[in-house]
Amino acid sequence: MPEPFEETLRQRLEAVRAQGLWRSLRPVDQRSASVLETGGHRLVSFAGNDYLGLSLHPAVLEAAVRAVYDWGAGSAASRLISGSLAVHHQLEETLAEFLGTEAALGFSTGHAAATGTIPALVGPGDVVIVDRLVHACCVDAARLSGAKLRVFRHNDLDDLDRILRWASGLSRNDSGGPRVLVVTESVFSMDGDSTPLAELVELKDHHGAWLMLDEAHSTGVMGPEGRGLAAQLGLGGRIEIRMGTLGKALGASGGFIAGSRALIDLLVNRARSFIFSTAPVPAAAAAATAALELMMTQDGELARHQLRLASAAGARVVHRAFPEPLGSASSEGSVGHILPVRVGDEAAAVALADRLRAAGVWVPAIRYPSVARGAARLRLTFSAAHTAVDLDCLEEAFNQACIQTPPNLSADAA
Ligand SMILES: *Cc1c(COP(=O)(O)O)cnc(C)c1O
């Protein structure tokens, strides 16, 4: 006899709770660029990825509203079925121009971009090699592809080299392969450090492998006019697949892949999350296009400057609260907008986040499965929208919350 459904779920939920991994949704009644209102409390947020505050920028809002009236609230069908709206093409042309690629393709989310793209490019008999800290969507996508999945130690190119050598010794398959795809991130979402991209590009070229670079946390933030890490290092032309999200620094919603015309044509024909899904809402595409246009103006430059200032000031506050030796993570080239404070124990991280919330700031505790077990942490993110007063609130909250905090925490240097 199968166990009753509800009883099975109840037992599994108990196990989640027992491990200190319980998650629940906290309704937010109102938000501004840096402040959330929840349960009648006003909290300064260091939790969002709206790094430039663009989700509330007047030009971005106006573009979204205009698109609703021009195109409707929804896109009505998948783009291959009912025609492909100009608003999506405008976004893709702007993205390709911004990144200096031949073409780009929009997806409903960054997650969908990954799960559509990797299985379109590789399959059984091929090899996907991911950095141990890549985002869950790239791991899911690699599994979905049916390719052999190998993991290299975080940012460890010797380990990657070892796996690439192994892959080149594999016997050829039907498609003349194996094809070998390396996946990494420009700025790691939970650690805030960046990848040694120049060396990695040399290595994958040496082995004839392909590289997919997820720029979710660098698009809009790093590089000339916010074009990302690949652009900053002048390596765009040597990276086969560039991925990003429109939902973080660009303040909208959606994901994208940028690269050659052939890559984009293949995705239109093979990426299942693109083909079998309703096109992103017109408002999101228009908002992202407006955000990209802002990137190239004085306003964009100013927002990136303010983000840098807020990140540096935030790091000083964190390092005053946790004056351990600073940092194992190298955030070389990063503007330090993601700052982890390592706690280790899951329950301790949650307790610290709770105390911070009671003291008026929202800093999320990040636990397994977002990070490894026993690697729980607070993850602070900074925004151009953070004011000096917001950072004073953070300092005050740390002072209150840390009175009862065990001292063995360490903050990574920005
Ligand atoms: C957020 C994120 C994604 C997914 O993007 P969404 O648009 O939120 O689905 C992919 N990769 C990384 C590194 C991310 O942080």
Side-chain angles (χ1 to χ4, degrees):
M1 278 286 283
E3 273 178 283
F5 179 69
E6 294 292 332
E7 177 55 22
T8 308
L9 268 48
R10 204 186 53 74
Q11 284 171 7
R12 291 180 58 189
L13 288 171
E14 246 162 45
V16 170
R17 225 186 257 281
Q19 295 172 68
L21 298 177
W22 180 262
R23 297 172 180 220
S24 63
L25 297 171
R26 205 176 290 275
V28 168
D29 302 313
Q30 227 178 337
R31 73 175 273 261
S32 69
S34 62
V35 174
L36 300 173
E37 238 182 78
T38 171
H41 297 288
R42 204 178 153 278
L43 301 176
V44 182
S45 169
F46 294 90
N49 300 317
D50 187 8
Y51 299 119
L52 301 176
L54 293 191
S55 73
L56 293 164
H57 190 287
V60 175
L61 298 184
E62 197 192 313
V65 170
R66 202 172 338 106
V68 168
Y69 284 100
D70 287 351
W71 298 103
S75 289
S78 118
R79 290 171 64 189
L80 288 161
I81 293 291
S82 73
S84 179
L85 306 181
V87 69
H88 294 125
H89 290 274
Q90 276 155 16
L91 169 62
E92 288 161 355
E93 280 158 24
T94 309
L95 269 169
E97 191 192 321
F98 184 67
L99 296 170
T101 57
E102 281 176 16
L105 189 67
F107 290 77
S108 305
T109 63
H111 196 289
T115 54
T117 299
I118 295 179
L121 294 172
V122 293
D126 297 326
V127 179
V128 180
I129 312 174
V130 303
D131 184 287
R132 197 172 68 77
L133 297 189
V134 294
H135 193 265
C137 65
C138 289
V139 177
D140 293 350
R143 290 200 178 117
L144 189 61
S145 75
K148 292 187 183 73
L149 174 60
R150 292 292 182 273
V151 178
F152 65 100
R153 284 195 296 271
H154 178 50
N155 279 346
D156 183 339
L157 298 188
D158 291 334
D159 200 35
L160 174 58
D161 185 47
R162 179 184 63 79
I163 300 170
L164 284 165
R165 281 170 204 275
W166 162 81
S168 58
L170 292 176
S171 54
R172 298 171 76 77
N173 59 29
D174 297 344
S175 51
R179 308 180 188 113
V180 180
L181 174 65
V182 178
V183 183
T184 194
E185 283 173 28
S186 50
V187 173
F188 285 86
S189 59
M190 295 299 141
D191 287 56
D193 58 340
S194 46
T195 205
L197 189 62
E199 295 82 357
L200 199 153
V201 165
E202 286 298 327
L203 186 61
K204 67 93 189 170
D205 278 353
H206 176 74
H207 288 276
W210 302 337
L211 176 62
M212 175 159 162
L213 181 68
D214 181 351
E215 295 233 38
H217 293 277
S218 49
T219 305
V221 170
M222 291 174 81
E225 299 182 307
R227 294 168 206 266
L229 181 64
Q232 178 171 312
L233 300 176
L235 292 169
R238 293 173 66 187
I239 298 168
E240 286 78 7
I241 307 122
R242 290 159 76 184
M243 166 184 163
T245 178
L246 309 172
K248 288 171 180 152
L250 296 177
S253 177
F256 67 84
I257 297 289
S260 68
R261 185 75 251 166
L263 169 66
I264 299 312
D265 286 346
L266 184 84
L267 295 180
V268 168
N269 283 275
R270 284 284 179 270
R272 295 172 65 86
S273 64
F274 176 83
I275 298 169
F276 298 107
S277 188
T278 301
V281 294
T289 306
L292 286 166
E293 281 162 359
L294 265 171
M295 291 292 105
M296 302 178 251
T297 67
Q298 282 276 303
D299 272 15
E301 201 52 60
L302 186 61
R304 277 188 297 281
H305 182 65
Q306 281 167 338
L307 172 60
R308 249 174 257 126
L309 293 179
S311 302
R316 286 194 294 273
V317 169
V318 171
H319 292 152
R320 276 198 293 275
F322 305 104
E324 296 299 293
L326 300 180
S328 50
S330 90
S331 303
E332 186 197 337
S334 155
V335 300
H337 51 303
I338 301 172
L339 185 60
V341 176
R342 297 181 200 292
V343 178
D345 180 65
E346 279 76 18
V350 173
L352 185 52
D354 285 346
R355 288 203 296 276
L356 287 169
R357 209 162 35 243
V361 302
W362 183 321
V363 175
I366 307 287
R367 292 164 287 168
Y368 179 85
S370 301
V371 294
R373 284 184 199 274
R377 72 210 40 200
L378 301 180
R379 172 184 182 262
L380 289 99
T381 48
F382 301 104
S383 165
H386 282 134
T387 63
V389 174
D390 294 337
L391 292 160
D392 286 347
C393 289
L394 181 64
E395 178 130 48
E396 182 56 29
F398 272 131
N399 289 340
Q400 288 181 31
C402 292
I403 292 166
Q404 322 144 50
T405 303
N408 60 336
L409 308 176
S410 73
D412 285 340

